[in-house]
Amino acid sequence: TITIKAGINPVVKNMLPEITDAASIKGQGMANTSISADNAEPINYRIFKINLNVTPVTIQDLTISGGNITGLGNGGGIWNR
């Protein structure tokens, strides 16, 4: 389990490494913990990529924002492939 403390709000410049094993990522509430894309750069990546064959993956109690995939229209925060 990865627990992100309240007030820790990472801004990522690229997609995080693909999740290929069971994992749990826990924040301290949507208003207190967020992971977002770097809005200073043109954004063309998702925040998380989860391998379809991995179970379970749990992401809870945090906000994921700012990811974008230009032209695909499939959302930007999480890619579960």
Side-chain angles (χ1 to χ4, degrees), residues 52-77:
L52 182 63
N53 297 316
V54 175
T55 56
V57 172
T58 304
I59 300 172
Q60 65 184 47
D61 297 326
L62 61 96
T63 299
I64 301 168
S65 65
N68 182 39
I69 297 297
T70 303
L72 294 180
N74 291 333

Side-chain angles (χ1 to χ4, degrees), residues 4 23 46 81:
I4 304 171
R46 292 182 173 94
R81 65 163 190 94

Side-chain angles (χ1 to χ4, degrees), residues 31-68:
N32 299 316
T33 313
S34 68
I35 299 175
S36 62
D38 183 2
N39 289 324
E41 302 290 328
I43 300 168
N44 194 25
Y45 58 91
R46 292 182 173 94
I47 308 299
F48 291 106
K49 181 178 180 182
I50 302 170
N51 186 298
L52 182 63
N53 297 316
V54 175
T55 56
V57 172
T58 304
I59 300 172
Q60 65 184 47
D61 297 326
L62 61 96
T63 299
I64 301 168
S65 65
N68 182 39

Side-chain angles (χ1 to χ4, degrees), residues 9 13 81:
N9 300 302
K13 294 187 178 285
R81 65 163 190 94

